């Protein structure tokens, strides 16, 4: 990138107490075979050495910029980065994750060939100690757009934020990340749904071009911390007329059940009961939900076992006898 000229890609990296991993993540951007980028590291009010590490990275490479803001969460940090971004294309990378060297180049080629508004890739999940990658994301490859993609995403979020390259004009059309704390850790999911509903075209690349670090400090460590905001996002979009009511019922019911089960496993019984009250009201007093409500009140430590071994099995058999669809009403 020549001095004074805007880059082609702005890479946004929110960082909160990420000093241990930040330099490695920055190096994975600097190691890209495509070089016309800027990297904006947004320090979200860190109390460790994140700022010091980021300033060293910026001093070593003029394409790296450091911005500090009061703590506000990932959505607010990414929005701050968007406010600083100068490029027509935007990519995201958290401060503890990594890109493989050819990621941006491969995505740019696909975007040019297909005209997609958003290109995402598959990738590896690796452990905190840097062990060899094992699990993959198993994305949905190929092109999808608009309502078709909206329905697909509503069923399951198949897009890892660190894999995304998106046109800035598409982001401007749907607005920023929603900073409501109810969506924190799933604000990206909400954005993909809004882009799809707007009519954006998506292209999934089967190539594994990024590495997601799974460790105890990650926001996905406690299942409820991911399931609660995911449920909030789904409820936000559940009334969209493009969605089949049966699809909505399966998705919302499944998330409520998973969330309550996770809260019980984590020993958070009062929160589980609060969520059960929400679920019971939403589910219209369905028989299994009504029984679960009683079990959770009287036998909370046996809730998951009784649900799994008796209530869900009975529900499945009844649906089979009645000719109902799995997961239906």
């Amino acid at each position: 990138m020549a001095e004074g000229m805007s880059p082609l890609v702005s890479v946004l990296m929110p960082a909160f107490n990420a000093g241990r991993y930040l330099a490695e993540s920055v190096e994975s951007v600097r190691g890209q075979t495509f070089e016309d980028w800027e990297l904006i590291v947004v320090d979200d009010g860190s109390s460790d050495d994140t700022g010091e590490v980021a300033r060293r990275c910026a001093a070593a490479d003029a394409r790296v910029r450091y911005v500090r803001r009061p703590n506000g969460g990932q959505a607010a940090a990414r929005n701050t980065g968007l406010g600083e971004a100068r490029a027509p294309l935007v990519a995201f990378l958290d401060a503890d994750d990594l890109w493989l060297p050819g990621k941006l180049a491969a995505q740019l080629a696909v975007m040019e060939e297909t005209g997609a508004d958003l290109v995402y890739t598959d990738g590896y999940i690796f452990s905190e100690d840097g062990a060899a990658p094992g699990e993959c994301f198993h994305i949905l490859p190929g092109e999808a757009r608009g309502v078709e993609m909206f329905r697909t995403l509503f069923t399951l979020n198949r897009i890892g934020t660190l894999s995304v390259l998106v046109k800035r004009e598409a982001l401007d059309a749907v607005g920023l990340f929603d900073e409501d704390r109810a969506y924190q850790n799933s604000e990206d999911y909400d954005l993909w749904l809004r882009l799809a509903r707007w009519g954006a075209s998506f292209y999934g690349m089967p190539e594994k071009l990024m590495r997601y670090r799974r460790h105890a400090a990650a926001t996905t460590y406690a299942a409820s911390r991911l399931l609660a905001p995911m449920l909030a996002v789904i409820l936000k979009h559940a009334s969209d007329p493009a969605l089949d009511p049966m699809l909505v019922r399966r998705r919302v019911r499944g998330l409520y059940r998973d969330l309550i089960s996770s809260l019980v496993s984590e020993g958070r019984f009062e929160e589980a009961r609060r969520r059960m009250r929400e679920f019971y009201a939403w589910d219209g007093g369905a028989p299994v939900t009504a029984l679960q409500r009683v079990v959770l009140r009287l036998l909370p430590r046996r809730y998951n076992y009784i649900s799994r071994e008796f209530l869900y099995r009975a529900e499945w058999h009844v649906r089979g006898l009645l000719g109902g669809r799995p997961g239906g009403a």
Side-chain angles (χ1 to χ4, degrees):
M1 178 178 64
E3 186 175 352
M5 294 182 63
S6 296
L8 184 60
V9 179
S10 292
V11 183
L12 309 185
M13 182 178 289
F16 177 69
N17 290 345
R20 178 180 176 185
Y21 303 107
L22 179 60
E24 185 182 11
S25 297
V26 170
E27 282 304 307
S28 78
V29 179
R30 294 185 68 199
Q32 292 296 298
T33 56
F34 174 82
E35 299 180 341
D36 187 14
W37 49 262
E38 64 174 355
L39 170 60
I40 304 167
V41 179
V42 181
D43 183 350
D44 191 34
S46 298
S47 58
D48 68 349
D49 62 344
T50 293
E52 180 183 345
V53 174
R55 283 188 286 268
R56 286 202 302 267
C57 292
D61 192 324
R63 296 171 297 178
V64 180
R65 288 193 282 147
Y66 170 66
V67 177
R68 182 175 172 86
R69 53 156 292 129
N71 180 257
Q74 284 187 339
R78 288 179 178 136
N79 286 341
T80 295
L82 283 169
E84 297 284 335
R86 299 176 294 159
L89 301 175
V90 177
F92 306 97
L93 181 63
D94 286 349
D96 55 354
D97 297 328
L98 305 170
W99 285 347
L100 299 186
K103 176 188 180 288
L104 287 179
Q107 288 184 291
L108 287 163
V110 168
M111 186 171 278
E112 182 175 359
E113 179 182 349
T114 65
D117 296 302
L118 185 152
V119 177
Y120 61 103
T121 79
D122 203 344
Y124 299 106
I125 300 172
F126 70 109
S127 63
E128 181 174 13
D129 61 6
E135 297 177 63
C136 300
F137 276 73
H138 302 294
I139 61 105
L140 183 67
E143 186 173 6
R145 67 174 60 240
V147 171
E148 174 195 0
M149 188 60 172
F150 179 70
R151 292 169 178 155
T152 298
L153 283 170
F154 188 88
T155 302
L156 180 66
N157 181 18
R158 298 173 177 268
I159 300 175
T161 309
L162 70 160
S163 78
V164 166
L165 179 67
V166 61
K167 294 178 180 177
R168 178 62 188 258
E169 62 184 5
L171 295 177
D172 290 341
V174 302
L176 301 174
F177 288 96
D178 194 325
E179 296 183 20
D180 190 319
R181 289 283 186 162
Y183 308 124
Q184 184 166 312
N185 300 331
S186 286
E187 68 277 349
D188 54 341
Y189 188 18
D190 171 62
L191 182 59
W192 314 149
L193 285 164
R194 285 190 280 128
L195 282 166
R197 195 65 180 94
W198 172 70
S201 57
F202 293 68
Y203 194 94
M205 298 176 60
E207 291 85 356
K208 297 174 180 60
L209 298 175
M210 47 80 171
R211 301 180 70 204
Y212 170 80
R213 191 188 306 267
R214 176 181 288 162
H215 54 78
T219 56
T220 52
Y221 185 65
S224 65
R225 294 180 64 187
L226 178 61
L227 291 166
M230 187 183 300
L231 174 61
V233 167
I234 287 299
L235 290 172
K236 177 180 179 179
H237 293 274
S239 61
D240 193 293
L243 296 171
D244 180 347
M246 191 67 74
L247 169 64
V248 172
R249 179 165 291 276
R250 285 198 301 267
R251 182 66 160 136
V252 174
R253 180 179 283 173
L255 281 173
Y256 262 120
R257 287 178 171 178
D258 288 346
L259 174 58
I260 293 166
S261 175
S262 295
L263 290 168
V264 169
S265 295
E266 295 163 17
R268 299 169 62 190
F269 299 117
E270 286 306 312
E271 177 66 8
R273 292 186 183 102
R274 185 182 73 81
R275 289 293 188 170
M276 178 59 76
R277 290 193 293 270
E278 287 179 15
F279 182 29
Y280 181 79
W282 179 89
D283 210 24
V288 169
T289 307
L291 289 170
Q292 287 182 301
R293 190 181 184 194
V294 174
V295 172
L296 186 57
R297 184 171 66 249
L298 300 178
L299 299 166
R301 297 185 186 279
R302 301 287 288 172
Y303 172 86
N304 284 338
Y305 176 78
I306 293 171
S307 293
R308 182 179 64 249
E309 298 298 326
F310 297 99
L311 299 181
Y312 294 156
R313 290 189 179 191
E315 180 183 56
W316 186 85
H317 285 295
V318 169
R319 285 208 189 99
L321 290 172
L322 298 177
R325 288 183 288 176

